[in-house]
Amino acid sequence: MSDKPSYLGAFLRHPANRTALLAAGVVAIFASIPMGLAGLALVGTLAVGTEILAALMVPSLPSFKAWVDREAHHQSLSQRRQLLIAELRDRGETDALSTYQHMWERVQALYQTAGDRQTTLTRQDVEKLDTLTVDYLGLCAVNASLRRRKDHTSEDQVNRRIANVEAQLRNPALGDEEARQLRATLAEYTEVLNRSRRLAVRRSALEATLVAMPDKMEEVYQLVITSPYATDMGSKLEDSLSRLRIAEEVAAEFDDADLATFGHKSSRTSAPNAAARQAAQRQNT
C-alpha cells in the first residue's frame, strides 16, 4: 500500500464539501442583491468560518478516516488491477485472463447479494474476495515471469560450465590469482543453480495455488448463493477465505531478492519459513 492519504485533502475534495461551498456562493449572490457588498461579505465570512471549523473537525473523525482509507484502498486496488491486466494481456496470458474474468463476475454477483438487507453477507466480506481476484492476477504475472526465467535458464548448461571451471581448478600450474577468480566464478554458478532449483520448487507451489484458487472461489460463490440468508454466513465465509489466503503465503515466498532477478518484485514482505511450510501442507490437503 502507498503512504497514508491526506484526510484534510480528502475533506476539501469531498463532493458534499464542494456542494456546500457552491451553495454558499449562491446564497452570497442572492444576499448581495438587497444588501450589496455587506451581504456578500457576511455570507462569505460565515461560509469561510464554517469551512475552517469543519476542516479542523471532520478530518479527525474516525468514521471519516475509515471512509478515506477505504476509498484509497479501492483506488489502489483498481490501479493495480488495471496494470496487472495490461501486463498479462501483453504477455498473451489469455487463459489466466479468462479465469480471472469468471472470478470477477462471481464477485460482482456477490456484491448484488450483499445489497439485500435480509442477508448477513456484508459488502466488506465481498471486498475481501475482490482483493483476492487481484491477488490472483498478481500470482499469474509472477508465474509468467518464472516461466520465462525457466525458459532462459538451462541447468545442463550451468552444470557444464561448473564442470569446466572445476577442471581448470585442477590444473597444477594455475596461479593463485587465477585460482581465486575461478573459485569466485564457481561460487556464482553454484548460486545460480541453487536459485534456479529454489524457484522451480516455489513455482510448483504457485502453479498448484493458481489451479486451486478459482475452484475455491467457486465454492465460496456456491455457498453464498445456496444459503444467502444463513445466520452464520460470516463464519462460513471466513473459513473459506482462510483457505483462499494460501495465495498470500505462496506469494510471500517470492522475496525481493529472487524476483528482482527477472524484474518482478513482490508487494509483500517475505514470510517465515514455518508459514511457508504450513501453506504448502494446506495446499497438499
Side-chain angles (χ1 to χ4, degrees), residues 1 4 60 92 111-112 137 151 163 191 213 216 261 267 270 272:
M1 292 293 293
K4 273 283 187 179
S60 61
Y111 271 127
Q112 295 180 1
L137 289 174
D151 294 339
E191 177 59 25
M213 195 172 177
K216 291 179 179 177
T261 60
S267 61
S270 180

Side-chain angles (χ1 to χ4, degrees), residues 144-211:
S145 296
L146 286 172
R147 186 167 58 249
R148 184 178 62 180
R149 175 179 172 82
K150 180 182 179 181
D151 294 339
H152 292 171
T153 302
S154 172
E155 289 192 15
D156 293 338
Q157 184 180 16
V158 175
N159 284 325
R160 286 195 299 269
R161 293 181 180 181
I162 289 176
N164 183 46
V165 172
E166 290 175 341
Q168 295 181 60
L169 284 171
R170 289 193 293 268
N171 185 359
L174 193 65
D176 293 341
E177 180 61 21
E178 292 177 335
R180 185 188 65 80
Q181 293 180 358
L182 287 173
R183 282 193 292 270
T185 302
L186 181 61
E188 288 290 339
Y189 280 134
T190 303
E191 177 59 25
V192 168
L193 194 60
N194 291 336
R195 184 181 295 113
S196 177
R197 289 169 179 170
R198 289 198 302 270
L199 288 176
V201 173
R202 295 176 183 182
R203 185 187 173 198
S204 297
L206 178 59
E207 289 178 338
T209 299
L210 290 176
V211 171

